[in-house]
Amino acid sequence: CSVQWKWLKIVRVMLCTSPVFTKQPGSIVFPVDSQEKNREVVFSCEAQGSPSPLYRWKLNGTAITPKSGSHYSLSGGNLRISHLDKDQDAGTYQCLAFNSFGTIVSREASLTFAYMENFKTHRRSSVSVREGQGVVLLCGPPSHSGDLTFSWIFNEYPSFVKQDTRRFISQETGNLYIAKVEPSDVGNYTCVVTNTVTKTRVQGPPTPLVLRSDGIMGEYEPKIEVQFPEIVHVAKGSTVKLECFALGNPVPSINWRRMDGIPFSRKVDVRKASGVLEIPYFQQEDAGTYECVAENSRGRNTVKGKLSFYAPPHLIEKPQDVQKPIDDSLVWECKATGKPKPSYRWMKNGENLESLEERIQVANGVLSISRLTLSDIGMYQCVAGNKHGEVYSNAELKVIAVAPDFSQNQLRSHTMVKEGGDVLMECRPKMSPWGGISWRKGSETLQEISILDNGNLRIQNATKPDAGLYTCVARNQFGVASSSGTLMVKEPTIITTPPSTLDVTVGESIVLPCQVTHDPSLELKFTWFFNEQLIHFGNHGGYFEKVGGQHSAGDIMIRNIQLRHAGKYTCAVQTKVDSISIAADLVVRGPPGPPTSIHVEEISDTTASLSWRPGPDNHSPVTTYTIQARTPFSLGWQAVTTVPEVVEGRSLTATVIDLSPWVEYEFRVLASNAIGTGEPSKPSKQARTKETCMYGIHRIPSILHAFTRLIVWHFIFKNREAITAAVSLGERKMPLRF
Ligand SMILES: *[C@@H]1O[C@H](CO)[C@@H](O)[C@H](O)[C@H]1NC(C)=O
Ligand SMILES: *[C@@H]1O[C@H](CO)[C@@H](O)[C@H](O)[C@H]1NC(C)=O
Ligand SMILES: *[C@@H]1O[C@H](CO)[C@@H](O)[C@H](O)[C@H]1NC(C)=O
């Protein structure tokens, strides 16, 4: 409602809220007692809201005015009524709370007066009965309001009549029943009535009971004198008491049962059930037909009555506060449970809502209002009720009417689009209801075709003449407003020199070009990707470098190209109006990779035939293979003689010759192409050449070989670590020495 600027420049917004009850009045029973001097009651009522709510009260639907001097006074929302008067003040009260948002009305609270007058009659004629007969002594309570309890004095106070199977006092009527009179019953009986609210107690005139001397009454069947109504409505959760008592000779026994055969629930104390059946905390399942059975040796009699369940309404769906633009429509739903089924009515600002106009409809708890106007603003209440009570819920309806306003949402002052591109110019004024939007370019009104439903303007396939000053004009019944912005059409960016697929050799350096033409007024940004990964210049071991010196060139250089630099290179160019990219593949040629799967196929005393598989050719075909061998005696790897002498790039087998018999050999293969010789393959498994079959000539060298080998093994075992180190440094560079 108000906005206050504090010195710290903190904006404090006092939230404005509609009234909501925090306390509602409850019903009051006022005991009328002549001794009480200060006869007054207070109905409480309290509501929250901002601005703070004010209050009014109604009695029986009519406003009451607490003027000075009247016996009403208001303090906050509470209503105090002094000098209470039974005739003037009894009735139904409701509190109304209101602020600038509207009025809400509280639930109904009744004021009743509890009182009891004295018995009018002073004398009662005597009742004479035969011994064995049943008798009813009437109490006939005086005029009163408030619940009563009854007891009877037998002869003199404080001798009260005790209830048993033979004697019963109805708490409904106050009457005393004696099923079968005995001589000891003769005496004076006085009904004592207590008002449970006022706590006053009055005594009736005594009724003398006398015995007739004309004989004794014989036996007869039970005659039910006290019975409960055919239908009793019992509120959920309340306690119900049913009375049943019969006269008869012999004294009848009283029993209870349910007609549907269901046994009594445990909460019903059946032992207590003589003349009264009490069901505490009544629930739906306790509803049904109950029967009282009075029985003696002469016969039996029954009465039946139905207990029906009822529940006051309970809201399960309530209307919620809403804010709607003018001319819009509103639907509010209200749902309540209850038995019988609740009916609904609606109130607006404390008054019953009559659907005088066709646009306001009320049906089955649903309120709908079409074409909202400012006069619909207010507090609405749904009241769900059945004959056992009413519940109220409230909700606020705000209807907003605002002339078009661009102050929060001006058009973008500059919008750019590339030639041939699409652009959306957004127009988002505040207005309620949403009226019409039109667009102008310069002074010319634009066709509606390009205006979208939400008021935005779409320009497709922009051309240079589309550039200019655009104005969005918003209009509703409360006014017109406009906002303008410039559209600039820019030349698109075009890549003139794209990178193309390149074929290079390891170790070379190349430039990948990326040159563009673009709108000179726009800034360019180049980014490069290698296999979709952003290239961070300066990283990657310094291989990549930006060399595009001029403004519209994004060229890069790759120095000392390695095999791993082969792949896809993408140049991406971005301006404020567009972004394009182009990719090229880089092929890197190098010496072949190592052959694989070296296998000794066959071995004799001086030859071994080998096979292998080709390794990668790195984009240049293998021209030749060379084979190397190693024995425990040789100084590292040494070239060997093969057949054929030159192993061509196409062949994958060769035979090594001139080997020594009975020696362990390992072989490896190296591939060469036009660029060079690649890494050697992994060594083959060790294979031993056969002994020579020509005894005498070749045997000696092989014995010598065996001897030398012994020395070598001895050396290896003594210097294992040194050898391992030496071997890992490279077989060729540091041969073993001994
Ligand atoms: C209010 O209405 C009740 C019930 O109709 C009635 O008994 C009572 O007298 C009325 N009170 C006043 C002040 O009119
Ligand atoms: C009953 O009351 C009458 C009159 O008060 C009195 O004469 C009579 O003795 C009383 N009877 C008994 C049994 O107390
Ligand atoms: C865009 O405009 C140009 C020039 O007016 C025209 O040749 C082209 O067909 C248009 N493209 C589209 C998709 O409308």
Side-chain angles (χ1 to χ4, degrees):
C1 298
S2 60
V3 179
Q4 293 175 0
W5 286 92
K6 291 276 169 183
W7 61 276
L8 273 174
K9 287 207 173 178
I10 294 170
V11 184
R12 217 174 81 184
V13 178
M14 311 288 289
L15 284 173
C16 300
T17 52
S18 50
V20 174
F21 282 115
T22 50
K23 220 184 257 171
Q24 297 198 46
S27 291
I28 296 176
V29 180
F30 185 81
V32 178
D33 185 341
S34 50
Q35 272 122 56
E36 185 86 46
K37 284 218 184 88
N38 190 18
R39 295 163 56 126
E40 64 169 38
V41 292
V42 177
F43 278 112
S44 46
C45 178
E46 194 181 279
Q48 271 178 356
S50 179
S52 289
L54 300 175
Y55 302 89
R56 279 189 292 136
W57 283 83
K58 277 184 174 176
L59 166 58
N60 280 3
T62 312
I64 52 181
T65 40
K67 286 186 298 216
S68 61
S70 85
H71 69 311
Y72 299 117
S73 60
L74 262 182
S75 92
N78 298 347
L79 175 71
R80 180 185 300 273
I81 311 171
S82 45
H83 312 297
L84 283 171
D85 182 291
K86 188 153 74 86
D87 301 318
Q88 248 186 62
D89 297 325
T92 306
Y93 288 80
Q94 273 181 300
C95 167
L96 288 80
F98 60 98
N99 66 12
S100 52
F101 290 92
T103 306
I104 50 173
V105 22
S106 75
R107 66 174 174 224
E108 294 182 340
S110 64
L111 175 59
T112 49
F113 288 85
Y115 65 93
M116 190 158 58
E117 292 176 359
N118 277 315
F119 280 90
K120 291 259 164 31
T121 51
H122 298 293
R123 186 180 294 193
R124 284 202 177 152
S125 47
S126 61
V127 174
S128 56
V129 286
R130 285 200 191 118
E131 189 184 338
Q133 207 181 343
V135 73
V136 182
L137 301 180
L138 304 178
C139 175
S143 152
H144 68 277
S145 164
D147 286 343
L148 302 183
T149 58
F150 301 93
S151 56
W152 285 79
I153 296 174
F154 179 49
N155 288 333
E156 292 286 327
Y157 178 84
S159 154
F160 283 93
V161 173
K162 286 213 178 67
Q163 296 189 73
D164 50 26
T165 52
R166 204 169 60 81
R167 289 172 295 187
F168 180 74
I169 300 165
S170 165
Q171 295 303 320
E172 299 286 333
T173 58
N175 297 342
L176 170 65
Y177 299 81
I178 303 175
K180 176 192 163 200
V181 172
E182 290 176 357
S184 59
D185 295 328
V186 170
N188 289 327
Y189 288 86
T190 306
C191 181
V192 182
V193 185
T194 308
N195 188 316
T196 55
V197 186
T198 60
K199 311 283 182 217
T200 43
R201 173 182 283 206
V202 291
Q203 284 188 12
T207 308
L209 179 74
V210 293
L211 274 189
R212 274 161 64 169
S213 52
D214 56 354
I216 294 172
M217 179 80 172
E219 294 190 350
Y220 65 99
E221 66 169 21
K223 184 167 174 282
I224 295 179
E225 280 291 329
V226 180
Q227 48 182 266
F228 50 95
E230 266 174 47
I231 287 198
V232 184
H233 298 284
V234 193
K236 180 183 179 180
S238 65
T239 297
V240 61
K241 287 180 182 173
L242 301 179
E243 289 187 342
C244 178
F245 196 74
L247 309 183
N249 187 0
V251 174
S253 66
I254 303 287
N255 282 297
W256 296 87
R257 63 192 183 108
R258 288 185 67 154
M259 291 302 284
D260 49 21
I262 301 171
F264 290 122
S265 64
R266 270 190 294 164
K267 65 188 176 186
V268 180
D269 187 353
V270 195
R271 282 167 306 154
K272 227 171 66 183
S274 51
V276 182
L277 176 72
E278 186 174 320
I279 306 174
Y281 199 65
F282 195 80
Q283 295 299 306
Q284 177 82 58
E285 61 264 24
D286 296 320
T289 305
Y290 286 73
E291 188 182 49
C292 161
V293 183
E295 212 167 355
N296 67 11
S297 52
R298 305 298 296 209
R300 87 200 269 274
N301 254 312
T302 60
V303 287
K304 283 195 269 268
K306 199 175 148 187
L307 295 190
S308 81
F309 172 84
Y310 79 75
H314 173 73
L315 280 172
I316 51 172
E317 198 174 318
K318 315 174 197 185
Q320 303 292 329
D321 294 356
V322 294
Q323 181 170 320
K324 293 266 182 181
I326 200 163
D327 270 346
D328 203 348
S329 56
L330 167 83
V331 176
W332 258 335
E333 195 168 353
C334 188
K335 246 189 213 157
T337 56
K339 195 156 187 274
K341 227 174 162 181
S343 61
Y344 303 89
R345 65 192 165 89
W346 287 83
M347 303 181 83
K348 179 189 169 188
N349 288 334
E351 301 289 336
N352 275 326
L353 183 69
E354 312 280 340
S355 52
L356 295 175
E357 294 171 76
E358 175 261 327
R359 59 183 194 92
I360 302 175
Q361 297 287 334
V362 178
N364 290 331
V366 178
L367 168 68
S368 42
I369 307 178
S370 52
R371 301 194 306 283
L372 289 166
T373 69
L374 294 180
S375 68
D376 293 322
I377 289 172
M379 294 300 300
Y380 287 75
Q381 287 180 288
C382 161
V383 187
N386 61 18
K387 62 181 172 196
H388 307 291
E390 281 189 332
V391 275
Y392 287 70
S393 75
N394 24 315
E396 185 199 346
L397 171 63
K398 274 189 193 148
V399 177
I400 26 181
V402 181
D405 174 14
F406 280 97
S407 57
Q408 306 286 318
N409 256 324
Q410 296 278 9
L411 236 64
R412 221 163 1 133
S413 61
H414 290 91
T415 307
M416 284 188 273
V417 64
K418 68 169 178 185
E419 246 182 303
D422 293 352
V423 69
L424 193 69
M425 299 194 69
E426 291 189 343
C427 179
R428 302 181 175 281
K430 210 168 101 181
M431 63 173 154
S432 178
W434 186 259
I437 296 275
S438 59
W439 282 85
R440 276 200 321 258
K441 183 182 169 225
S443 58
E444 152 209 5
T445 301
L446 293 176
Q447 300 225 327
E448 263 174 36
I449 277 178
S450 42
I451 302 170
L452 305 181
D453 284 347
N454 59 11
N456 295 340
L457 179 72
R458 179 186 289 286
I459 298 168
Q460 284 172 305
N461 196 8
T463 56
K464 279 271 156 98
D466 287 331
L469 184 72
Y470 284 78
T471 305
C472 173
V473 183
R475 191 186 305 268
N476 69 11
Q477 62 259 55
F478 302 105
V480 182
S482 65
S483 178
S484 301
T486 307
L487 178 69
M488 294 180 286
V489 180
K490 301 288 185 184
E491 277 164 31
T493 310
I494 296 164
I495 297 181
T496 50
T497 316
S500 54
T501 299
L502 273 176
D503 217 321
V504 297
T505 304
V506 168
E508 285 181 351
S509 297
I510 52 145
V511 170
L512 290 178
C514 186
Q515 288 174 15
V516 300
T517 61
H518 70 291
D519 195 293
S521 65
L522 296 176
E523 252 178 59
L524 278 179
K525 191 184 167 213
F526 289 97
T527 10
W528 280 87
F529 298 87
F530 172 47
N531 289 337
E532 322 291 344
Q533 302 281 313
L534 181 69
I535 297 177
H536 300 280
F537 293 92
N539 292 0
H540 303 281
Y543 288 101
F544 300 108
E545 193 186 321
K546 275 193 178 178
V547 292
Q550 299 116 305
H551 181 60
S552 49
D555 304 355
I556 60 166
M557 173 178 261
I558 313 176
R559 291 182 197 282
N560 185 17
I561 285 177
Q562 300 299 304
L563 284 172
R564 66 172 184 276
H565 293 143
K568 185 170 136 191
Y569 286 81
T570 310
C571 170
V573 197
Q574 212 180 342
T575 68
K576 270 191 178 154
V577 299
D578 58 2
S579 62
I580 49 174
S581 66
I582 190 150
D585 286 321
L586 180 66
V587 176
V588 181
R589 294 183 199 283
T596 60
S597 312
I598 317 303
H599 195 65
V600 181
E601 299 283 342
E602 235 185 287
I603 190 157
S604 71
D605 52 352
T606 56
T607 66
S609 51
L610 301 182
S611 71
W612 59 88
R613 294 224 201 99
D617 71 356
N618 291 332
H619 307 289
S620 177
V622 175
T623 49
T624 55
Y625 287 105
T626 44
I627 295 168
Q628 295 177 339
R630 162 169 90 170
T631 70
F633 320 109
S634 61
L635 302 180
W637 290 94
Q638 316 223 316
V640 289
T641 319
T642 56
V643 174
E645 207 170 324
V646 176
V647 185
E648 300 242 336
R650 281 190 304 276
S651 52
L652 296 171
T653 56
T655 303
V656 184
I657 55 168
D658 294 343
L659 299 175
S660 306
W662 206 38
V663 175
E664 304 263 6
Y665 280 97
E666 286 170 287
F667 301 98
R668 67 182 194 184
V669 183
L670 295 90
S672 303
N673 62 11
I675 294 147
T677 301
E679 294 282 305
S681 71
K682 284 197 183 131
S684 68
K685 273 191 198 149
Q686 281 193 339
R688 185 192 292 172
T689 43
K690 301 230 161 57
E691 289 175 55
T692 180
C693 41
M694 293 164 78
Y695 194 79
I697 301 173
H698 284 100
R699 187 72 179 161
I700 295 161
S702 43
I703 288 169
L704 268 177
H705 275 312
F707 179 69
T708 331
R709 198 171 336 164
L710 258 178
I711 297 169
V712 169
W713 283 123
H714 176 75
F715 173 83
I716 288 171
F717 276 103
K718 282 186 101 178
N719 300 281
R720 251 175 308 186
E721 276 147 36
I723 291 169
T724 318
V727 167
S728 67
L729 277 171
E731 303 93 324
R732 263 178 288 182
K733 289 180 203 149
M734 283 197 69
L736 302 179
R737 264 173 237 180
F738 52 90

